[in-house]
Amino acid sequence: MTTTTPEAGPERRRGLTEATARHAAGRAAATLGRSVAIFVPVFLVATFVTFALRSLSGLSPARIQLGEEATPEAIGRVEAEWGLDQPFLTQYANWFTDVLHGQLGTSWVNGADISTLIGLGLGVSLSVATFALLIGVVAGFVLGTVAALRRTTLVDRAITGFVTVISVMPAFVVGIVLVAVLAVGFGLFPSAGYVPAEQGVGPWLAHITLPALALSFDVVADVARQLRSSLVAAYGENYVTGAVVRGLSPRRIFFGHVLRNGLGPALVTVGQKFPALVGASVITEWIFGLQGFGRFANDSAQAGDVPAVQGVLVVSIVLVVSFNLIINLVLARVMPASQRGV
């Protein structure tokens, strides 16, 4: 006859917990490996195409520094100083090596370090984009969840109508309205400018709230619609029917089955939105007087500053790749289907 010691139960539970943790770590490592295997070639191809921008554009630092009347000898001298007289692949290898070390080159216009210039603008844009994403995810999650739980009711139709309206409202129009009403009319927020967080969290939040609100409408609409659709679809799956038959509570069914399996499209939407919020907010930055990443990209392109534009594109590629990698890891953690590779 076999006897079980009192310690056997806790030890077995600890063993199961450790096995589960190792299994989860293995899944995360496998997902990370697959993502890196995809993103590394994408990054290499994207950076190569980005570097080819100068050759395709036909622009030269000599034209910017010396003007259109520069002699061929003067142009050749300036281009030699910038290393543009070397073979294309040699230029690319040198540039890519610098990129891997965090050096994005020197501006053709003012000779400033591009990494420094981008860092200044990126701090502003990341602050606004992160806050806008937070607002959009929270509001979109609430609206999408309520619409799914109250599907086919008046509440569902009202939320669907609301998100449809805000989805077609351009961010610059929303920004102008917010400035007129909340900044000028009620004086609740500053109408323009930016204060770094190091100078005070309160002033920093006050300056980024209105531009973040203006940018968040599109995120709210997309997250709410995607989440509502996927949750409604999840409620129709067999595993939910089985959970109901087993007598599980609606709360447990929602959080344990419906939500976990319905988060995928909404998370993918979030992954696509964040890089766009950082780089595609030029007009909004103009409205609110922000010297952000998008405005720097626009000014560099208009000035023909090819190294600055290349730096902007490299940073944008890194943002897209990094954020999608994070989203893939989150999907592998919260969605059973993605863990199985479905």
Side-chain angles (χ1 to χ4, degrees), residues 31-48 50 96 99-100 126 267-268 270-276 278 293 312-331:
T31 302
L32 180 62
R34 288 195 300 268
S35 300
V36 170
I38 294 173
F39 291 143
V40 167
V42 169
F43 180 73
L44 291 174
V45 172
T47 53
F48 183 83
T50 296
F96 187 75
V99 167
L100 293 179
L126 283 176
L267 286 176
V268 172
V270 172
Q272 296 170 345
K273 288 296 180 182
F274 184 71
V278 174
F293 182 72
V312 167
L313 293 176
V314 168
V315 173
S316 300
I317 293 166
V318 171
L319 286 174
V320 172
V321 169
S322 301
F323 206 75
N324 277 278
L325 177 60
I326 294 172
I327 292 298
N328 283 345
L329 292 174
V330 174
L331 282 171

Side-chain angles (χ1 to χ4, degrees), residues 125-318:
S125 295
L126 283 176
S127 298
V128 175
T130 301
F131 197 20
L133 191 71
L134 179 63
I135 295 171
V137 168
V138 173
F141 181 87
V142 171
L143 291 174
T145 302
V146 171
L149 294 175
R150 305 294 183 185
R151 53 194 179 280
T152 72
T153 66
L154 181 61
V155 173
D156 181 21
R157 289 193 290 270
I159 292 176
T160 301
F162 172 72
V163 297
T164 300
V165 170
I166 65 174
S167 68
V168 298
M169 298 175 64
F172 72 90
V173 173
V174 177
I176 293 173
V177 173
L178 291 175
V179 169
V181 176
L182 298 181
V184 178
F186 293 97
L188 299 177
F189 299 95
S191 60
Y194 177 78
V195 175
E198 293 81 9
Q199 299 182 17
V201 176
W204 172 69
L205 283 174
H207 282 82
I208 68 173
T209 296
L210 292 187
L213 280 173
L215 292 173
S216 69
F217 275 36
D218 188 49
V219 182
V220 172
D222 283 352
V223 171
R225 286 187 297 201
Q226 291 285 2
L227 188 60
R228 184 224 177 254
S229 299
S230 57
L231 291 181
V232 170
Y235 267 114
E237 296 292 340
N238 292 333
Y239 53 78
V240 174
T241 304
V244 174
V245 172
R246 293 198 305 271
L248 298 182
S249 66
R251 178 187 180 91
R252 186 173 176 184
I253 291 173
F254 176 75
F255 287 103
H257 298 277
V258 176
L259 184 60
R260 289 190 66 188
N261 288 280
L263 273 178
L267 286 176
V268 172
T269 298
V270 172
Q272 296 170 345
K273 288 296 180 182
F274 184 71
L277 289 174
V278 174
S281 57
V282 180
I283 299 179
T284 305
E285 290 176 1
W286 274 102
I287 293 173
F288 292 99
L290 302 175
Q291 292 291 337
F293 182 72
R295 191 168 174 180
F296 173 76
N298 179 71
D299 294 344
S300 300
Q302 290 188 349
D305 195 349
V306 174
V309 175
Q310 289 175 332
V312 167
L313 293 176
V314 168
V315 173
S316 300
I317 293 166
V318 171

Side-chain angles (χ1 to χ4, degrees), residues 60-62 72-86:
S60 167
E73 293 78 11
I75 292 175
R77 184 174 62 255
V78 172
E79 291 188 346
E81 292 175 357
W82 287 88
L84 301 180
D85 58 337
Q86 298 177 353

